[in-house]
mmCIF file of all heavy atoms in Angstrom:
data_model
loop_
_atom_site.group_PDB
_atom_site.id
_atom_site.type_symbol
_atom_site.label_atom_id
_atom_site.label_comp_id
_atom_site.label_asym_id
_atom_site.label_seq_id
_atom_site.Cartn_x
_atom_site.Cartn_y
_atom_site.Cartn_z
ATOM 1 N N TRP A 9 -58.296 24.329 24.578
ATOM 2 C CA TRP A 9 -56.901 24.406 24.998
ATOM 3 C C TRP A 9 -56.447 23.064 25.570
ATOM 4 O O TRP A 9 -55.405 22.544 25.228
ATOM 5 C CB TRP A 9 -56.798 25.524 26.043
ATOM 6 C CG TRP A 9 -55.421 25.783 26.574
ATOM 7 C CD1 TRP A 9 -55.067 25.804 27.873
ATOM 8 C CD2 TRP A 9 -54.237 26.083 25.822
ATOM 9 N NE1 TRP A 9 -53.737 26.089 28.011
ATOM 10 C CE2 TRP A 9 -53.202 26.264 26.755
ATOM 11 C CE3 TRP A 9 -53.949 26.220 24.459
ATOM 12 C CZ2 TRP A 9 -51.895 26.569 26.387
ATOM 13 C CZ3 TRP A 9 -52.643 26.515 24.118
ATOM 14 C CH2 TRP A 9 -51.635 26.686 25.066
ATOM 15 N N LEU A 26 -43.104 -7.324 16.272
ATOM 16 C CA LEU A 26 -42.502 -8.587 16.660
ATOM 17 C C LEU A 26 -42.475 -9.516 15.458
ATOM 18 O O LEU A 26 -43.458 -9.692 14.758
ATOM 19 C CB LEU A 26 -43.310 -9.237 17.781
ATOM 20 C CG LEU A 26 -43.311 -8.437 19.090
ATOM 21 C CD1 LEU A 26 -44.189 -9.118 20.107
ATOM 22 C CD2 LEU A 26 -41.898 -8.284 19.630
ATOM 23 N N ARG A 37 -32.900 -22.960 23.572
ATOM 24 C CA ARG A 37 -32.153 -23.461 22.429
ATOM 25 C C ARG A 37 -30.702 -23.719 22.788
ATOM 26 O O ARG A 37 -30.120 -23.087 23.640
ATOM 27 C CB ARG A 37 -32.213 -22.448 21.293
ATOM 28 C CG ARG A 37 -31.512 -21.158 21.623
ATOM 29 C CD ARG A 37 -31.492 -20.243 20.410
ATOM 30 N NE ARG A 37 -30.834 -19.003 20.760
ATOM 31 C CZ ARG A 37 -31.465 -17.865 20.993
ATOM 32 N NH1 ARG A 37 -32.764 -17.801 20.885
ATOM 33 N NH2 ARG A 37 -30.810 -16.787 21.314
ATOM 34 N N LEU A 119 44.196 2.197 -8.906
ATOM 35 C CA LEU A 119 43.971 1.914 -10.308
ATOM 36 C C LEU A 119 45.210 1.304 -10.915
ATOM 37 O O LEU A 119 46.318 1.644 -10.584
ATOM 38 C CB LEU A 119 43.645 3.203 -11.034
ATOM 39 C CG LEU A 119 42.538 4.007 -10.358
ATOM 40 C CD1 LEU A 119 42.409 5.340 -11.045
ATOM 41 C CD2 LEU A 119 41.239 3.252 -10.418
ATOM 42 N N ASP A 172 17.454 -2.857 -12.244
ATOM 43 C CA ASP A 172 16.510 -2.009 -11.510
ATOM 44 C C ASP A 172 17.160 -1.215 -10.424
ATOM 45 O O ASP A 172 17.190 -0.007 -10.419
ATOM 46 C CB ASP A 172 15.526 -2.920 -10.745
ATOM 47 C CG ASP A 172 14.350 -3.250 -11.574
ATOM 48 O OD1 ASP A 172 14.306 -2.786 -12.703
ATOM 49 O OD2 ASP A 172 13.492 -3.975 -11.081
ATOM 50 N N THR A 373 19.444 -6.436 4.889
ATOM 51 C CA THR A 373 20.134 -5.159 4.842
ATOM 52 C C THR A 373 19.711 -4.327 3.656
ATOM 53 O O THR A 373 19.952 -3.144 3.609
ATOM 54 C CB THR A 373 21.653 -5.374 4.799
ATOM 55 O OG1 THR A 373 21.907 -6.514 3.986
ATOM 56 C CG2 THR A 373 22.216 -5.604 6.192
ATOM 57 N N LEU B 12 37.179 6.767 -7.494
ATOM 58 C CA LEU B 12 37.196 5.372 -7.942
ATOM 59 C C LEU B 12 36.521 4.478 -6.922
ATOM 60 O O LEU B 12 35.659 3.670 -7.242
ATOM 61 C CB LEU B 12 38.645 4.924 -8.150
ATOM 62 C CG LEU B 12 38.811 3.400 -8.293
ATOM 63 C CD1 LEU B 12 38.100 2.918 -9.533
ATOM 64 C CD2 LEU B 12 40.270 3.040 -8.330
ATOM 65 N N GLN B 28 21.579 -9.855 -1.556
ATOM 66 C CA GLN B 28 21.153 -10.242 -0.221
ATOM 67 C C GLN B 28 19.661 -10.235 -0.063
ATOM 68 O O GLN B 28 19.087 -9.378 0.565
ATOM 69 C CB GLN B 28 21.762 -9.308 0.808
ATOM 70 C CG GLN B 28 23.242 -9.547 0.923
ATOM 71 C CD GLN B 28 23.833 -8.683 1.992
ATOM 72 O OE1 GLN B 28 23.120 -8.015 2.714
ATOM 73 N NE2 GLN B 28 25.148 -8.685 2.081
ATOM 74 N N ARG B 42 9.840 -8.561 -10.011
ATOM 75 C CA ARG B 42 9.814 -7.605 -11.085
ATOM 76 C C ARG B 42 8.468 -7.671 -11.781
ATOM 77 O O ARG B 42 7.845 -6.686 -12.083
ATOM 78 C CB ARG B 42 10.965 -7.943 -12.044
ATOM 79 C CG ARG B 42 11.165 -6.937 -13.091
ATOM 80 C CD ARG B 42 11.903 -5.674 -12.682
ATOM 81 N NE ARG B 42 11.294 -4.849 -11.683
ATOM 82 C CZ ARG B 42 10.630 -3.714 -11.970
ATOM 83 N NH1 ARG B 42 10.490 -3.329 -13.191
ATOM 84 N NH2 ARG B 42 10.136 -3.008 -11.013
ATOM 85 N N ARG B 196 -28.591 -12.581 19.992
ATOM 86 C CA ARG B 196 -29.431 -13.310 20.949
ATOM 87 C C ARG B 196 -30.440 -12.381 21.603
ATOM 88 O O ARG B 196 -31.600 -12.715 21.775
ATOM 89 C CB ARG B 196 -28.538 -13.969 22.006
ATOM 90 C CG ARG B 196 -29.121 -15.243 22.548
ATOM 91 C CD ARG B 196 -28.317 -15.781 23.669
ATOM 92 N NE ARG B 196 -26.972 -16.159 23.243
ATOM 93 C CZ ARG B 196 -26.245 -17.068 23.873
ATOM 94 N NH1 ARG B 196 -26.754 -17.694 24.927
ATOM 95 N NH2 ARG B 196 -25.027 -17.334 23.478
ATOM 96 N N GLU B 202 -37.476 -9.729 19.681
ATOM 97 C CA GLU B 202 -38.437 -9.947 18.596
ATOM 98 C C GLU B 202 -39.690 -10.605 19.125
ATOM 99 O O GLU B 202 -40.796 -10.359 18.658
ATOM 100 C CB GLU B 202 -37.804 -10.824 17.506
ATOM 101 C CG GLU B 202 -36.905 -10.054 16.550
ATOM 102 C CD GLU B 202 -36.186 -10.956 15.553
ATOM 103 O OE1 GLU B 202 -36.334 -12.186 15.636
ATOM 104 O OE2 GLU B 202 -35.474 -10.413 14.692
ATOM 105 N N LEU B 463 -54.156 30.591 19.680
ATOM 106 C CA LEU B 463 -55.318 30.771 20.548
ATOM 107 C C LEU B 463 -55.511 32.234 20.905
ATOM 108 O O LEU B 463 -56.636 32.756 20.947
ATOM 109 C CB LEU B 463 -55.155 29.946 21.820
ATOM 110 C CG LEU B 463 -55.495 28.468 21.624
ATOM 111 C CD1 LEU B 463 -54.928 27.637 22.739
ATOM 112 C CD2 LEU B 463 -57.005 28.315 21.543
#
Side-chain angles (χ1 to χ4, degrees):
Chain A
W9 182 234
L26 295 177
R37 66 175 179 256
L119 309 173
D172 271 0
T373 38
Chain B
L12 166 64
Q28 290 183 7
R42 188 79 297 258
R196 210 186 296 205
E202 279 175 357
L463 280 162

